[in-house]
Amino acid sequence: MIRARSLSKRFGDKRVLERVDLDLDRGGFLVVTGPNGSGKTTLLRLCAGLVAPTSGDLRVETDRGRIGFLAHDPLLYRELTALENLDLYGRLYRIPEHRERSGMLLERFGLWRNRNERAGSFSRGMMQRLALCRALLHDPELLLLDEPFNALDADGVQLLQRELEELRPGRTFVVATHDPARLEPLASGSLALA
């Protein structure tokens, strides 16, 4: 599903990724590790089509509308409620029954009681849960997750691990993390960036 050859990215004079080769088959689960500044986030943004490579070749064999992307920034509107945020994204993705799917995801991620509260009033962990709902709303076939366990409490970690296990069959994952041991049982491969 994802093929990269000599993939490189620079921002001005700063080299972020240098000659990365990658083969990820459909249904694979790639865990990307490396210290801060090693290019993990940039690799995910390249795969999502949000930035273009400086050099090299990158092929992602799915429509952009079938990609779920969880970034460091939750990409949510703080003045909207949890339900309004998901309603907006549901309409943008033209999901036929987005209200039902939104409700199901809010329930699964423990946010149903908070559905009518403004996202700006949420704790960082609740915001991360809502961002996960947003990334999963359109039932993507490729999930690009940047530090998905960030800010989650113990219950949130358990919820996310359960979701990843349930989603694992039939989906392709690229997950950047500082805690690869947590994802080891799901991983089909790993990429360490220096």
Side-chain angles (χ1 to χ4, degrees):
M1 175 171 271
I2 300 176
R3 302 282 179 270
R5 294 292 176 268
S6 297
L7 183 64
S8 300
K9 180 63 182 175
R10 290 176 179 261
F11 293 102
D13 292 335
K14 183 178 179 183
R15 260 186 303 183
V16 180
L17 282 177
E18 189 67 30
R19 302 183 60 79
V20 173
D21 291 332
L22 166 63
D23 288 295
L24 180 62
D25 292 330
R26 194 171 299 278
F29 194 114
L30 181 69
V31 176
V32 182
T33 59
N36 289 340
S38 62
K40 298 183 302 294
T41 296
T42 299
L43 177 63
L44 294 181
R45 290 174 54 82
L46 284 162
C47 290
L50 298 174
V51 294
T54 305
S55 63
D57 182 54
L58 174 64
R59 285 183 294 139
V60 178
E61 297 170 355
T62 189
D63 294 333
R64 287 180 73 176
R66 301 288 294 143
I67 297 173
F69 182 56
L70 177 74
H72 282 294
D73 184 316
L75 304 175
L76 297 165
Y77 293 92
R78 295 176 183 277
E79 65 278 3
L80 299 180
T81 68
L83 203 51
E84 289 169 340
N85 265 286
L86 295 184
D87 185 56
L88 173 64
Y89 280 100
R91 285 185 280 133
L92 287 173
Y93 279 106
R94 294 185 175 102
I95 301 168
E97 296 175 356
H98 66 271
R99 292 206 169 123
E100 291 80 4
R101 184 144 174 84
S102 297
M104 181 269 297
L105 284 166
L106 289 169
E107 182 70 37
R108 287 180 76 142
F109 278 91
L111 293 174
W112 180 250
R113 289 184 323 173
N114 310 96
R115 68 189 178 278
N116 293 317
E117 295 175 22
R118 291 184 189 273
S121 71
F122 282 8
S123 69
R124 180 64 182 102
M126 290 171 69
M127 191 73 88
Q128 184 76 346
R129 288 183 189 207
L130 183 56
L132 285 159
C133 291
R134 178 200 46 77
L136 295 170
L137 183 63
H138 60 294
D139 196 24
E141 80 176 326
L142 172 61
L143 281 159
L144 305 170
L145 307 177
D146 198 355
E147 297 293 345
F149 294 99
N150 187 32
L152 295 178
D153 59 11
D155 288 341
V157 166
Q158 284 183 336
L159 283 168
L160 179 55
Q161 285 193 293
R162 181 195 71 209
E163 286 298 313
L164 292 176
E165 288 168 10
E166 288 180 15
L167 291 168
R168 176 70 176 89
R171 301 250 183 345
T172 305
F173 290 83
V174 180
V175 183
T177 184
H178 287 294
D179 188 6
R182 182 174 276 151
L183 296 168
E184 202 169 272
L186 299 171
S188 63
S190 63
L191 175 65
L193 299 175

